[in-house]
Amino acid sequence: MDYDKLIAPAAAAMRPSGIRKFFDLAAEMPECISLGVGEPDFKTPWAIREAGIESLEMGHTKYTSNAGLKELRIEISRYLERRMDLRYDPMREILVTVGGSEAIDMCIRTLISPGDEVIIPEPCFVCYDPITTLSGGVPVHLPCRREDQFRLNAEALRQAITPKTKLLIMPFPNNPTGAVMSREDLEAVAEVLQGTDIIVLSDEIYAELTYGPRHVSIASLPGMRERTIVVNGFSKSYAMTGWRLGYACGPEPIIKVMTKIHQSAIMSAPTTSQYAAIVALRECDNEIERMREEYNMRRRLVVKGFNDLGLTCFEPQGAFYTFPCIQSTGMTSQEFCTTLLQEKHVALVPGDAFGASGEGFCRVSYAYSVDHLREALRRIAAFLQERAK
């Protein structure tokens, strides 16, 4: 059989993840130091794990309602009001999903028809573009510049909007740059969107990991709630990556259709994870603070380390990544990361894996122990010294 003819063109045209390529190479090197994984190195807090274990012991192993356990949606609503100044009806405006990634997928599939344009600020997480193209949409890549600290510039957004623009993705706090949008930044974006029918997908998975002012959701601004889908989850803030649990909040008509697609494609999010997440939201605010403090210490260590090496690195205010510039080495992002991996067994992710505007940079995760980070910096220093000879 000619499988090339059978596979859908949009699926065949998808780029493989530039992140996973380096994970796979690093996995073959036992002595490799990896700073590539966007995953907390903390264990899921014990109270959360215990709740998951108890749910299994109690026999809670059946499907939940498609939208998620009622108790969990109520706790999500309380959490968002308590921590983010957002108010959503847990019965009509919240959908529990299999990680934040499924929430993004459901949102884009609900809103995008063939030919619709989706504005994607970049560098950014790798999933937005392929999900858009699979839905027949047209990705419009909007570069965020280092001189703007990788924030979305409102005037650049204005110029990118066309009559076909349907959706704006707001990936802040940002993966891979660590950039955040202040209230003033968001107000400028909101002003640009006034008078349009453009919907915002606000990916706030790193909302709890900010190191200056607290995170501000664009949905909390006047006039933005009715045009915003907020995506969040438990992976980053509660170190629950493997539990695969997220959620989407937004206007009832959109959430209703997202739930209908979720019902057919997924059925319901993992039951054990949902019971565990209830305890996370009720009892673990202090665990968020503990992890944030540790990340903040590592952030300062890594930013100073790269700047001392001459690889200039702006100070990220969110997530757990830095985005040092490697242009001074004369190598492309791919060349730098590949050679570093081969010669010094240190794995970083090339910046162009997050879009063309990431060229000349690399992503460094500081979700690792201090000893791990220091050893990686030592090897990178040796790598640069050897190439300077």
Side-chain angles (χ1 to χ4, degrees), residues 55 59-73 95-98 245-246 259 262-263 266-276 278:
S55 76
H60 298 315
T61 57
K62 298 185 181 298
Y63 297 125
T64 70
S65 68
N66 297 128
L69 287 168
K70 176 181 177 180
E71 297 93 328
L72 175 56
R73 284 179 281 152
L95 168 65
V96 179
T97 59
V98 182
L245 202 68
T259 303
H262 169 82
Q263 180 183 58
I266 301 295
M267 183 66 75
S268 61
T271 301
T272 303
S273 300
Q274 292 191 56
Y275 278 103
I278 291 171

Side-chain angles (χ1 to χ4, degrees), residues 176-330:
T177 65
V180 301
M181 296 283 283
S182 68
R183 178 177 290 276
E184 291 74 20
D185 297 327
L186 295 172
E187 288 172 344
V189 169
E191 183 178 353
V192 170
L193 297 178
Q194 286 181 1
T196 75
D197 291 326
I198 297 170
I199 297 292
V200 174
L201 192 171
S202 185
D203 184 352
E204 303 183 19
I205 195 69
Y206 293 99
E208 289 285 11
L209 299 179
T210 59
Y211 309 105
R214 291 298 300 270
H215 171 75
V216 177
S217 173
I218 194 169
S220 69
L221 301 184
M224 291 304 298
R225 185 187 186 281
E226 59 264 32
R227 68 162 77 241
T228 302
I229 304 297
V230 173
V231 169
N232 207 326
F234 298 84
S235 294
K236 314 302 182 182
S237 53
Y238 296 102
M240 292 177 68
T241 50
W243 297 76
R244 304 312 304 133
L245 202 68
Y247 53 89
C249 310
E252 181 182 357
I254 296 176
I255 295 297
K256 184 176 180 180
V257 176
M258 288 175 62
T259 303
K260 185 169 60 175
I261 300 173
H262 169 82
Q263 180 183 58
S264 296
I266 301 295
M267 183 66 75
S268 61
T271 301
T272 303
S273 300
Q274 292 191 56
Y275 278 103
I278 291 171
V279 171
L281 294 170
R282 285 178 179 168
E283 301 180 12
C284 293
D285 283 4
N286 61 324
E287 295 288 348
I288 294 173
E289 305 303 331
R290 180 179 67 84
M291 287 188 277
R292 182 194 290 120
E293 289 176 6
E294 177 67 19
Y295 286 135
N296 192 21
M297 182 270 291
R298 299 175 189 179
R299 176 182 70 101
R300 295 194 298 267
L301 169 70
V302 173
V303 169
K304 182 179 186 303
F306 275 98
N307 282 327
D308 288 348
L309 292 175
L311 301 181
T312 56
C313 183
F314 99 103
E315 185 173 352
Q317 294 296 311
F320 41 57
Y321 309 105
T322 61
F323 205 57
C325 179
I326 53 87
Q327 295 172 7
S328 61
T329 67

Side-chain angles (χ1 to χ4, degrees), residues 349-366:
V349 181
D352 64 345
F354 305 95
S357 61
E359 176 55 54
F361 299 84
C362 59
R363 189 189 79 172
V364 180
S365 170
Y366 49 86

Side-chain angles (χ1 to χ4, degrees), residues 166-184:
K166 185 74 168 289
L167 181 67
L168 165 65
I169 293 175
M170 289 288 288
F172 299 97
N174 184 267
N175 171 12
T177 65
V180 301
M181 296 283 283
S182 68
R183 178 177 290 276
E184 291 74 20

